[in-house]
Amino acid sequence: KLIFSYFSALTLYILFISLNLPTPLYIFFFFLMIRRPPRSTLSSSSAASDVYKRQVRCPRCGATFPNPMLRRAHASSCSSDSRSTFSPEVQAWLERWNHPHEHRLVHCTSGLVLLVIREPVAGAVTPHPESEVQVHYSGKLADSQYWFDGSRVKGDSTPFTIRLGTNAVVPGFEQAVANLALGARGVAYLPAMLAYGDVGVGRTIPAGCALEFDIEVVRVDETMVSAGPAFIPDVHRALTESCSESDGSDGRPPWLHGILLPGPPSELQSFLQHKQYCATNHLALTNLRHPNGSNPFRRVRCCEYQGKWKGRPGDAMVVTDMASDWAASDQWSLEALVRRYGELPVLCKFRAPILGTEGLHDVPVIETSLGGYIQYAQAVERTGSDTLPRLYLNGWTAFSQCPDLQAQVNARPPLVEDCSLEILRAMEEAKLSLFGHAPGDGLRERALDLAQTADLELTKVFVACVGSCTRLHFDNGAAHAWLSMVRGTKLFVCFAPSDTPYLYPSSQGADEECHSPIDPLAPDFDTYPEYRHARPHAVVLEAGETILVPAGWWHFAVSLDTSVTVMRNFWSSSNMEAYVHAQSLKLKQSIDRVKEKMEQSGLGHLVNEVFRSVHQKVQ
C-alpha cells in the first residue's frame, strides 16, 4: 500500500506538471486521494459488522485474517472438518462451544482467537484506537473454566469502562474489545503471553495460564445499546438445561461438563458420615460427638422478646416467626425463582467461605445462571448421589441485581436494632472530608449515596444444595448477623466468643483469624485436643425461622435439603465502636502504605506534614 501511494502521488504530480495546473490544486487532489473514511461509523449494509471488512475469511473453517497473504498461507493446512491451524489447547477450548463452525472466528496474528457469537447490527459503531468503550465481561481460566472476574455479578451489574490505547488492561483483552463493534458479543481465547504471562496474579491466576473472556460491547464513546441476556443458551452448551439422570454422568448438569473440580471436601464427607451415624442410632442431627454434647438455643417469638435485640455477647437465639410473614415465603418457590430470574448470572463456590490462603485451584468458583444452579441442586437432592460435587451459591447480592426483590423481605425487622446505614454514612462522610471534599460540595448527599449502596449489599441470599457447607468462622468487621430460612432446612453449630482459644483460629493474619480448622461434625481431638473444652450449640433451622448471631460468635452450617436463606450483617449500638475502630485502623494502614511508597520515591520530605494532619483527622 505504501509503494502504491508513492507511485500514485508521482503519477498525479507528472500529470499536473504536463497540464500546467496550479500546485494548490495538486495538493487538494493528493489529500482527497489519500483521505481515509472516518473510523467511527460503518458504511456497509451487510448484517455483519464492517469492522472486519479489511479481513479475509477462510470459506472452509471460517477463520479470518488481516490480509490475503496470511489467508493463502493458512489454506495449505486448512480442512473443512477441523481447525488444524490451532494448537491443541485452542482446539480443546473450541470444543466446549456449541457448533463453533456456525460462528465467525477471528484469528489474530498475535495469537488471540475470537469467536463472535453475536454480530452487531448493520451500521454499528466500531471503536477507534482511542475510544472509550463500556463492556460486560466474564473472565475465566481457559483450561479449567474457573471464574475469576466479571461485571455482571458485581453489585448492580455496572459495565466496565476501558479507554483503548492506555494499556490499562492485559493486551489480549484490549485487542478483543477493539475487534468488536457496538452490540457485538464474542468469546476470546488469550494465550498467556497476551494475559499475565509467566507472572500470574497471586493465588488466582497461575503463571503461564491462558484466559477466556466473554465480552459484550454496550457503548462506544457516546453511542450505546441495551445489553443482551447474560447467557445465550443456544450458543453455549445448555447453560440452563435441566439435569438428566440418563446422560451417563450421575445427574451432573451440562454446564459442569469439562470443568475440572477437586475431590470432595472433607466437610462433605463428615456430613454424610454424621447423617448416617445419626440415622443408624436414631439420633437427631443436633447430637454432636463431643464430650460436652450440644447445647440448645433459646427459642422465642417476636412478641416475647422485650425491647430491641442489640447483639450482646450472650444473646444468640432463634426467633421462630421473624420471617414467617415475608412475601418471599410464598413467592420464592424454586420454580418461581427459575421462571422470573433464571437467566441471571451467579457464582457458585466449591467451598465457603474462601480463605485468603486458598487459590482458585483449591476452591474453584464457577459462573452459571440461577436457573442452572437451582436445577443442579434439585438433581443432587433427587439422585441422592454422593459423587456429585456440592457447589454453594453463597453471598448472592440479589437485592442489588434485582431491586424488586427488596419489597419481598424485611431487611430491617422491628425486633433488631440496626444502625448500619447511619454508621456507614458517617464513615463515608469522614473519608470524603478526609480527602478534600468540602462540606458544601454535596458531601452529605454523596456520602449517603455510597452508604445506601454499601448497606444494600449487606443483605445477601444463599441458595444451597443438600450437603453444601459453611466452614466454621465468625463474620469479620465485628458484625452481627441474622439468617432467615425462606426454603428448606439447615443445621447450625455455633460457639460463643469465649470458646475462641479452643477453636484454633488461623494465624495467617488479621483477615484469617476469623476462620477455624475445626469440623464440628467430625472432631479430631488428637490434632486439636483443646477443642474438648469448647461448648457447641446446635439447632436445625426450619423455613420461617431466624437465627440471631452476635458479633464474634463462631458458626458452621450445612444444608439438609435444597434451601434458600436470607442473611444480613449489621451493626448496632453494641458493636458500633468496634467497627469504627477496625475501619479507622484499616484506613491508617492504607495511608501508611502510600506514605512509605512516596518516601521510597524521594518525596518523603514533602508529605510528612500532610500525613501527620491526615492521621489526626482519622483519629
Side-chain angles (χ1 to χ4, degrees):
K1 288 183 179 179
L2 188 62
I3 295 173
F4 176 77
S5 298
Y6 277 126
F7 274 108
S8 299
L10 182 60
T11 303
L12 186 64
Y13 183 71
I14 294 173
L15 179 64
F16 269 68
I17 292 297
S18 62
L19 296 176
N20 291 323
L21 295 176
T23 302
L25 188 61
Y26 161 73
I27 296 173
F28 171 78
F29 274 100
F30 176 77
F31 280 104
L32 187 66
M33 179 183 69
I34 66 173
R35 188 182 71 87
R36 298 178 63 181
R39 301 191 63 178
S40 59
T41 58
L42 299 172
S43 58
S44 172
S45 60
S46 63
S49 167
D50 278 357
V51 68
Y52 309 109
K53 66 183 178 181
R54 290 181 295 277
Q55 296 181 337
V56 183
R57 183 173 184 176
C58 174
R60 286 184 286 182
C61 72
T64 58
F65 299 88
N67 57 61
M69 184 181 298
L70 289 177
R71 162 66 187 92
R72 285 193 294 271
H74 155 82
S76 60
S77 59
C78 177
S79 70
S80 58
D81 299 323
S82 67
R83 315 250 173 135
S84 57
T85 56
F86 295 125
S87 66
E89 293 79 11
V90 176
Q91 292 196 35
W93 175 76
L94 283 172
E95 288 175 2
R96 288 198 178 99
W97 292 88
N98 186 28
H99 307 302
H101 292 273
E102 296 180 1
H103 306 285
R104 184 157 49 81
L105 193 67
V106 180
H107 190 191
C108 298
T109 54
S110 63
L112 174 75
V113 179
L114 179 65
L115 189 66
V116 183
I117 59 179
R118 187 177 68 214
E119 299 283 359
V121 297
V125 176
T126 182
H128 60 76
E130 297 180 354
S131 284
E132 185 176 87
V133 185
Q134 285 189 344
V135 300
H136 274 302
Y137 74 96
S138 176
K140 302 176 184 177
L141 307 186
D143 56 353
S144 62
Q145 292 293 287
Y146 298 164
W147 181 96
F148 65 86
D149 195 15
S151 60
R152 294 182 186 272
V153 293
K154 291 182 178 179
D156 57 357
S157 304
T158 302
F160 173 66
T161 302
I162 171 179
R163 181 171 289 280
L164 301 182
T166 59
N167 298 321
V169 294
V170 294
F173 188 92
E174 183 166 329
Q175 289 180 27
V177 172
N179 277 280
L180 290 170
L182 182 65
R185 183 169 180 175
V187 184
Y189 178 93
L190 278 61
M193 61 183 178
L194 295 180
Y196 293 97
D198 295 330
V199 179
V201 179
R203 298 182 179 90
T204 303
I205 301 176
C209 183
L211 305 181
E212 172 191 309
F213 281 101
D214 180 349
I215 302 171
E216 179 186 15
V217 179
V218 297
R219 180 173 180 173
V220 177
D221 294 323
E222 301 303 320
T223 308
M224 61 187 303
V225 296
S226 299
F231 296 102
I232 305 179
D234 60 333
V235 175
H236 202 274
R237 286 181 175 167
L239 284 168
T240 57
E241 190 176 305
S242 61
C243 303
S244 171
E245 297 181 27
S246 60
D247 64 355
S249 62
D250 66 11
R252 184 175 301 229
W255 53 267
L256 266 180
H257 292 173
I259 295 179
L260 307 174
L261 291 174
S266 59
E267 57 268 21
L268 173 60
Q269 299 299 322
S270 301
F271 164 69
L272 296 175
Q273 293 170 8
H274 178 72
K275 186 178 178 182
Q276 181 63 37
Y277 170 80
C278 291
T280 302
N281 294 278
H282 306 287
L283 299 173
L285 290 174
T286 53
N287 282 271
L288 305 179
R289 284 170 282 183
H290 191 281
N292 293 326
S294 58
N295 300 283
F297 276 90
R298 176 188 174 190
R299 301 177 70 90
V300 301
R301 299 174 60 192
C302 288
C303 61
E304 298 170 348
Y305 191 83
Q306 300 297 320
K308 292 274 190 179
W309 188 88
K310 300 180 180 181
R312 295 184 178 89
D315 215 10
M317 66 177 63
V318 172
V319 183
T320 59
D321 59 348
M322 196 174 94
S324 59
D325 60 346
W326 287 358
S329 301
D330 299 322
Q331 300 179 24
W332 285 21
S333 67
L334 298 177
E335 294 73 18
L337 291 175
V338 171
R339 184 172 61 254
R340 295 177 60 189
Y341 308 105
E343 295 297 323
L344 282 177
V346 294
L347 300 178
C348 47
K349 303 176 180 67
F350 187 69
R351 301 178 83 177
I354 300 177
L355 310 184
T357 55
E358 293 174 331
L360 199 56
H361 280 85
D362 303 315
V363 184
V365 179
I366 311 298
E367 183 183 39
T368 185
S369 64
L370 178 63
Y373 179 82
I374 290 177
Q375 290 165 348
Y376 147 78
Q378 291 174 318
V380 172
E381 185 172 359
R382 184 175 65 248
T383 61
S385 171
D386 293 346
T387 60
L388 270 172
R390 297 307 201 264
L391 299 174
Y392 191 10
L393 198 173
N394 78 320
W396 175 34
T397 54
F399 304 102
S400 297
Q401 286 185 277
C402 312
D404 58 309
L405 290 177
Q406 298 175 30
Q408 298 175 22
V409 303
N410 186 356
R412 294 182 178 278
L415 176 67
V416 174
E417 181 186 76
D418 188 340
C419 308
S420 304
L421 182 60
E422 294 80 3
I423 296 169
L424 291 170
R425 184 202 57 76
M427 288 297 297
E428 293 296 342
E429 188 172 333
K431 290 178 184 178
L432 291 173
S433 62
L434 183 65
F435 293 106
H437 284 72
D441 192 22
L443 184 144
R444 295 184 63 86
E445 293 76 11
R446 175 62 176 159
L448 180 60
D449 184 58
L450 292 171
Q452 287 174 336
T453 300
D455 180 77
L456 188 61
E457 294 184 359
L458 291 174
T459 311
K460 301 180 176 68
V461 175
F462 295 177
V463 185
C465 63
V466 57
S468 294
C469 294
T470 299
R471 293 184 281 183
L472 187 60
H473 73 290
F474 67 83
D475 294 343
N476 55 20
H480 303 315
W482 55 254
L483 300 98
S484 296
M485 298 300 301
V486 179
R487 284 279 177 274
T489 55
K490 275 186 177 179
L491 169 65
F492 282 85
V493 181
C494 303
F495 300 87
S498 58
D499 283 332
T500 298
Y502 313 132
L503 300 179
Y504 296 83
S506 174
S507 58
Q508 300 294 328
D511 293 337
E512 298 299 316
E513 291 176 358
C514 58
H515 298 278
S516 168
I518 301 293
D519 185 343
L521 302 186
D524 184 352
F525 294 111
D526 293 333
T527 305
Y528 308 109
E530 293 298 314
Y531 178 58
R532 296 177 183 274
H533 304 298
R535 296 181 59 84
H537 298 68
V539 65
V540 172
L541 208 64
E542 306 280 348
E545 296 182 334
T546 301
I547 185 169
L548 301 178
V549 184
W553 270 70
W554 298 81
H555 47 283
F556 166 95
V558 57
S559 185
L560 305 180
D561 46 23
T562 305
S563 63
V564 180
T565 310
V566 176
M567 185 279 293
R568 177 170 172 82
N569 284 124
F570 64 100
W571 295 275
S572 66
S573 57
S574 68
N575 63 338
M576 172 174 52
E577 186 176 345
Y579 169 73
V580 173
H581 174 74
Q583 293 299 307
S584 299
L585 184 61
K586 283 186 177 181
L587 186 56
K588 286 182 179 180
Q589 291 171 345
S590 300
I591 292 170
D592 286 339
R593 284 195 293 269
V594 174
K595 180 182 176 183
E596 182 180 354
K597 289 182 179 179
M598 295 183 72
E599 287 176 341
Q600 290 173 354
S601 64
L603 300 175
H605 63 287
L606 299 176
V607 299
N608 283 331
E609 287 298 325
V610 174
F611 279 94
R612 187 178 295 111
S613 172
V614 166
H615 273 299
Q616 290 173 354
K617 285 187 177 181
V618 172
Q619 189 64 39

PDB file of all heavy atoms in Angstrom, residues 108-130:
ATOM      1  N   CYS A 108      -6.185 -13.603  15.192  1.00  0.00           N
ATOM      2  CA  CYS A 108      -5.212 -12.528  15.042  1.00  0.00           C
ATOM      3  C   CYS A 108      -3.790 -13.089  15.029  1.00  0.00           C
ATOM      4  O   CYS A 108      -3.510 -14.134  15.638  1.00  0.00           O
ATOM      5  CB  CYS A 108      -5.351 -11.521  16.186  1.00  0.00           C
ATOM      6  SG  CYS A 108      -6.964 -10.710  16.251  1.00  0.00           S
ATOM      7  N   THR A 109      -2.909 -12.394  14.357  1.00  0.00           N
ATOM      8  CA  THR A 109      -1.519 -12.846  14.284  1.00  0.00           C
ATOM      9  C   THR A 109      -0.840 -12.830  15.644  1.00  0.00           C
ATOM     10  O   THR A 109       0.171 -13.501  15.848  1.00  0.00           O
ATOM     11  CB  THR A 109      -0.729 -11.959  13.303  1.00  0.00           C
ATOM     12  OG1 THR A 109      -0.881 -10.592  13.700  1.00  0.00           O
ATOM     13  CG2 THR A 109      -1.250 -12.130  11.886  1.00  0.00           C
ATOM     14  N   SER A 110      -1.377 -12.063  16.586  1.00  0.00           N
ATOM     15  CA  SER A 110      -0.798 -12.014  17.926  1.00  0.00           C
ATOM     16  C   SER A 110      -1.029 -13.307  18.702  1.00  0.00           C
ATOM     17  O   SER A 110      -0.386 -13.549  19.725  1.00  0.00           O
ATOM     18  CB  SER A 110      -1.395 -10.849  18.705  1.00  0.00           C
ATOM     19  OG  SER A 110      -2.791 -11.035  18.882  1.00  0.00           O
ATOM     20  N   GLY A 111      -1.975 -14.140  18.226  1.00  0.00           N
ATOM     21  CA  GLY A 111      -2.329 -15.362  18.929  1.00  0.00           C
ATOM     22  C   GLY A 111      -3.712 -15.317  19.531  1.00  0.00           C
ATOM     23  O   GLY A 111      -4.227 -16.335  20.003  1.00  0.00           O
ATOM     24  N   LEU A 112      -4.361 -14.140  19.519  1.00  0.00           N
ATOM     25  CA  LEU A 112      -5.718 -14.018  20.026  1.00  0.00           C
ATOM     26  C   LEU A 112      -6.690 -14.772  19.124  1.00  0.00           C
ATOM     27  O   LEU A 112      -6.624 -14.663  17.895  1.00  0.00           O
ATOM     28  CB  LEU A 112      -6.124 -12.545  20.102  1.00  0.00           C
ATOM     29  CG  LEU A 112      -7.578 -12.253  20.491  1.00  0.00           C
ATOM     30  CD1 LEU A 112      -7.787 -12.481  21.975  1.00  0.00           C
ATOM     31  CD2 LEU A 112      -7.969 -10.828  20.112  1.00  0.00           C
ATOM     32  N   VAL A 113      -7.609 -15.524  19.706  1.00  0.00           N
ATOM     33  CA  VAL A 113      -8.671 -16.207  18.973  1.00  0.00           C
ATOM     34  C   VAL A 113      -9.994 -15.675  19.503  1.00  0.00           C
ATOM     35  O   VAL A 113     -10.259 -15.737  20.708  1.00  0.00           O
ATOM     36  CB  VAL A 113      -8.599 -17.736  19.148  1.00  0.00           C
ATOM     37  CG1 VAL A 113      -9.742 -18.409  18.394  1.00  0.00           C
ATOM     38  CG2 VAL A 113      -7.267 -18.270  18.648  1.00  0.00           C
ATOM     39  N   LEU A 114     -10.818 -15.133  18.604  1.00  0.00           N
ATOM     40  CA  LEU A 114     -12.080 -14.504  18.992  1.00  0.00           C
ATOM     41  C   LEU A 114     -13.223 -15.179  18.256  1.00  0.00           C
ATOM     42  O   LEU A 114     -13.277 -15.167  17.029  1.00  0.00           O
ATOM     43  CB  LEU A 114     -12.047 -13.007  18.674  1.00  0.00           C
ATOM     44  CG  LEU A 114     -13.306 -12.198  19.006  1.00  0.00           C
ATOM     45  CD1 LEU A 114     -13.552 -12.181  20.515  1.00  0.00           C
ATOM     46  CD2 LEU A 114     -13.181 -10.770  18.478  1.00  0.00           C
ATOM     47  N   LEU A 115     -14.127 -15.784  19.013  1.00  0.00           N
ATOM     48  CA  LEU A 115     -15.315 -16.413  18.450  1.00  0.00           C
ATOM     49  C   LEU A 115     -16.475 -15.431  18.600  1.00  0.00           C
ATOM     50  O   LEU A 115     -16.902 -15.127  19.723  1.00  0.00           O
ATOM     51  CB  LEU A 115     -15.614 -17.713  19.195  1.00  0.00           C
ATOM     52  CG  LEU A 115     -16.695 -18.621  18.626  1.00  0.00           C
ATOM     53  CD1 LEU A 115     -16.272 -19.191  17.285  1.00  0.00           C
ATOM     54  CD2 LEU A 115     -16.993 -19.758  19.596  1.00  0.00           C
ATOM     55  N   VAL A 116     -16.973 -14.906  17.482  1.00  0.00           N
ATOM     56  CA  VAL A 116     -18.042 -13.907  17.505  1.00  0.00           C
ATOM     57  C   VAL A 116     -19.369 -14.653  17.576  1.00  0.00           C
ATOM     58  O   VAL A 116     -19.808 -15.246  16.585  1.00  0.00           O
ATOM     59  CB  VAL A 116     -17.990 -12.988  16.278  1.00  0.00           C
ATOM     60  CG1 VAL A 116     -19.074 -11.917  16.373  1.00  0.00           C
ATOM     61  CG2 VAL A 116     -16.623 -12.328  16.168  1.00  0.00           C
ATOM     62  N   ILE A 117     -20.013 -14.625  18.730  1.00  0.00           N
ATOM     63  CA  ILE A 117     -21.247 -15.382  18.911  1.00  0.00           C
ATOM     64  C   ILE A 117     -22.495 -14.536  18.678  1.00  0.00           C
ATOM     65  O   ILE A 117     -23.590 -15.073  18.606  1.00  0.00           O
ATOM     66  CB  ILE A 117     -21.295 -16.024  20.311  1.00  0.00           C
ATOM     67  CG1 ILE A 117     -21.205 -14.973  21.401  1.00  0.00           C
ATOM     68  CG2 ILE A 117     -20.186 -17.037  20.465  1.00  0.00           C
ATOM     69  CD1 ILE A 117     -21.275 -15.529  22.814  1.00  0.00           C
ATOM     70  N   ARG A 118     -22.327 -13.213  18.591  1.00  0.00           N
ATOM     71  CA  ARG A 118     -23.439 -12.352  18.184  1.00  0.00           C
ATOM     72  C   ARG A 118     -22.872 -11.193  17.391  1.00  0.00           C
ATOM     73  O   ARG A 118     -22.029 -10.442  17.880  1.00  0.00           O
ATOM     74  CB  ARG A 118     -24.226 -11.847  19.383  1.00  0.00           C
ATOM     75  CG  ARG A 118     -25.494 -11.087  18.950  1.00  0.00           C
ATOM     76  CD  ARG A 118     -26.314 -10.634  20.138  1.00  0.00           C
ATOM     77  NE  ARG A 118     -25.623  -9.609  20.888  1.00  0.00           N
ATOM     78  CZ  ARG A 118     -25.712  -9.481  22.206  1.00  0.00           C
ATOM     79  NH1 ARG A 118     -26.429 -10.339  22.902  1.00  0.00           N
ATOM     80  NH2 ARG A 118     -25.077  -8.510  22.832  1.00  0.00           N
ATOM     81  N   GLU A 119     -23.337 -11.059  16.149  1.00  0.00           N
ATOM     82  CA  GLU A 119     -22.846  -9.999  15.278  1.00  0.00           C
ATOM     83  C   GLU A 119     -23.535  -8.674  15.620  1.00  0.00           C
ATOM     84  O   GLU A 119     -24.666  -8.657  16.111  1.00  0.00           O
ATOM     85  CB  GLU A 119     -23.129 -10.341  13.818  1.00  0.00           C
ATOM     86  CG  GLU A 119     -22.451 -11.613  13.330  1.00  0.00           C
ATOM     87  CD  GLU A 119     -20.979 -11.413  13.050  1.00  0.00           C
ATOM     88  OE1 GLU A 119     -20.503 -10.286  13.226  1.00  0.00           O
ATOM     89  OE2 GLU A 119     -20.308 -12.381  12.664  1.00  0.00           O
ATOM     90  N   PRO A 120     -22.865  -7.553  15.362  1.00  0.00           N
ATOM     91  CA  PRO A 120     -23.509  -6.247  15.544  1.00  0.00           C
ATOM     92  C   PRO A 120     -24.512  -5.990  14.432  1.00  0.00           C
ATOM     93  O   PRO A 120     -24.493  -6.661  13.394  1.00  0.00           O
ATOM     94  CB  PRO A 120     -22.337  -5.265  15.468  1.00  0.00           C
ATOM     95  CG  PRO A 120     -21.349  -5.957  14.590  1.00  0.00           C
ATOM     96  CD  PRO A 120     -21.473  -7.430  14.893  1.00  0.00           C
ATOM     97  N   VAL A 121     -25.382  -5.040  14.638  1.00  0.00           N
ATOM     98  CA  VAL A 121     -26.341  -4.662  13.600  1.00  0.00           C
ATOM     99  C   VAL A 121     -25.633  -3.881  12.509  1.00  0.00           C
ATOM    100  O   VAL A 121     -24.510  -3.393  12.682  1.00  0.00           O
ATOM    101  CB  VAL A 121     -27.487  -3.826  14.192  1.00  0.00           C
ATOM    102  CG1 VAL A 121     -28.273  -4.624  15.200  1.00  0.00           C
ATOM    103  CG2 VAL A 121     -26.939  -2.551  14.833  1.00  0.00           C
ATOM    104  N   ALA A 122     -26.287  -3.767  11.361  1.00  0.00           N
ATOM    105  CA  ALA A 122     -25.709  -3.010  10.253  1.00  0.00           C
ATOM    106  C   ALA A 122     -25.505  -1.553  10.666  1.00  0.00           C
ATOM    107  O   ALA A 122     -26.355  -0.947  11.322  1.00  0.00           O
ATOM    108  CB  ALA A 122     -26.636  -3.077   9.041  1.00  0.00           C
ATOM    109  N   GLY A 123     -24.344  -1.004  10.282  1.00  0.00           N
ATOM    110  CA  GLY A 123     -24.047   0.390  10.590  1.00  0.00           C
ATOM    111  C   GLY A 123     -23.618   0.639  12.018  1.00  0.00           C
ATOM    112  O   GLY A 123     -23.579   1.788  12.449  1.00  0.00           O
ATOM    113  N   ALA A 124     -23.296  -0.407  12.764  1.00  0.00           N
ATOM    114  CA  ALA A 124     -22.906  -0.230  14.163  1.00  0.00           C
ATOM    115  C   ALA A 124     -21.558   0.473  14.264  1.00  0.00           C
ATOM    116  O   ALA A 124     -20.679   0.305  13.428  1.00  0.00           O
ATOM    117  CB  ALA A 124     -22.846  -1.585  14.865  1.00  0.00           C
ATOM    118  N   VAL A 125     -21.408   1.257  15.319  1.00  0.00           N
ATOM    119  CA  VAL A 125     -20.164   1.983  15.565  1.00  0.00           C
ATOM    120  C   VAL A 125     -19.083   1.000  15.982  1.00  0.00           C
ATOM    121  O   VAL A 125     -19.324   0.082  16.769  1.00  0.00           O
ATOM    122  CB  VAL A 125     -20.367   3.042  16.661  1.00  0.00           C
ATOM    123  CG1 VAL A 125     -19.063   3.745  16.997  1.00  0.00           C
ATOM    124  CG2 VAL A 125     -21.424   4.044  16.226  1.00  0.00           C
ATOM    125  N   THR A 126     -17.890   1.186  15.475  1.00  0.00           N
ATOM    126  CA  THR A 126     -16.753   0.351  15.869  1.00  0.00           C
ATOM    127  C   THR A 126     -15.715   1.211  16.573  1.00  0.00           C
ATOM    128  O   THR A 126     -15.547   2.394  16.246  1.00  0.00           O
ATOM    129  CB  THR A 126     -16.123  -0.329  14.636  1.00  0.00           C
ATOM    130  OG1 THR A 126     -15.047  -1.158  15.068  1.00  0.00           O
ATOM    131  CG2 THR A 126     -15.598   0.693  13.651  1.00  0.00           C
ATOM    132  N   PRO A 127     -15.042   0.701  17.568  1.00  0.00           N
ATOM    133  CA  PRO A 127     -14.080   1.521  18.311  1.00  0.00           C
ATOM    134  C   PRO A 127     -12.903   1.962  17.447  1.00  0.00           C
ATOM    135  O   PRO A 127     -12.450   1.225  16.571  1.00  0.00           O
ATOM    136  CB  PRO A 127     -13.601   0.580  19.430  1.00  0.00           C
ATOM    137  CG  PRO A 127     -14.622  -0.513  19.506  1.00  0.00           C
ATOM    138  CD  PRO A 127     -15.164  -0.655  18.118  1.00  0.00           C
ATOM    139  N   HIS A 128     -12.410   3.165  17.704  1.00  0.00           N
ATOM    140  CA  HIS A 128     -11.159   3.602  17.099  1.00  0.00           C
ATOM    141  C   HIS A 128     -10.068   3.490  18.163  1.00  0.00           C
ATOM    142  O   HIS A 128     -10.355   3.186  19.332  1.00  0.00           O
ATOM    143  CB  HIS A 128     -11.279   5.016  16.530  1.00  0.00           C
ATOM    144  CG  HIS A 128     -11.635   6.063  17.526  1.00  0.00           C
ATOM    145  ND1 HIS A 128     -10.734   6.568  18.439  1.00  0.00           N
ATOM    146  CD2 HIS A 128     -12.807   6.708  17.772  1.00  0.00           C
ATOM    147  CE1 HIS A 128     -11.310   7.470  19.188  1.00  0.00           C
ATOM    148  NE2 HIS A 128     -12.571   7.584  18.821  1.00  0.00           N
ATOM    149  N   PRO A 129      -8.794   3.697  17.814  1.00  0.00           N
ATOM    150  CA  PRO A 129      -7.699   3.396  18.759  1.00  0.00           C
ATOM    151  C   PRO A 129      -7.753   4.120  20.081  1.00  0.00           C
ATOM    152  O   PRO A 129      -7.097   3.694  21.030  1.00  0.00           O
ATOM    153  CB  PRO A 129      -6.444   3.798  17.963  1.00  0.00           C
ATOM    154  CG  PRO A 129      -6.838   3.625  16.535  1.00  0.00           C
ATOM    155  CD  PRO A 129      -8.274   4.026  16.462  1.00  0.00           C
ATOM    156  N   GLU A 130      -8.524   5.214  20.207  1.00  0.00           N
ATOM    157  CA  GLU A 130      -8.583   5.944  21.469  1.00  0.00           C
ATOM    158  C   GLU A 130      -9.996   6.022  22.033  1.00  0.00           C
ATOM    159  O   GLU A 130     -10.287   6.867  22.870  1.00  0.00           O
ATOM    160  CB  GLU A 130      -8.008   7.354  21.288  1.00  0.00           C
ATOM    161  CG  GLU A 130      -6.530   7.363  20.909  1.00  0.00           C
ATOM    162  CD  GLU A 130      -5.982   8.767  20.746  1.00  0.00           C
ATOM    163  OE1 GLU A 130      -6.794   9.722  20.819  1.00  0.00           O
ATOM    164  OE2 GLU A 130      -4.762   8.913  20.557  1.00  0.00           O
TER     165      GLU A 130
END
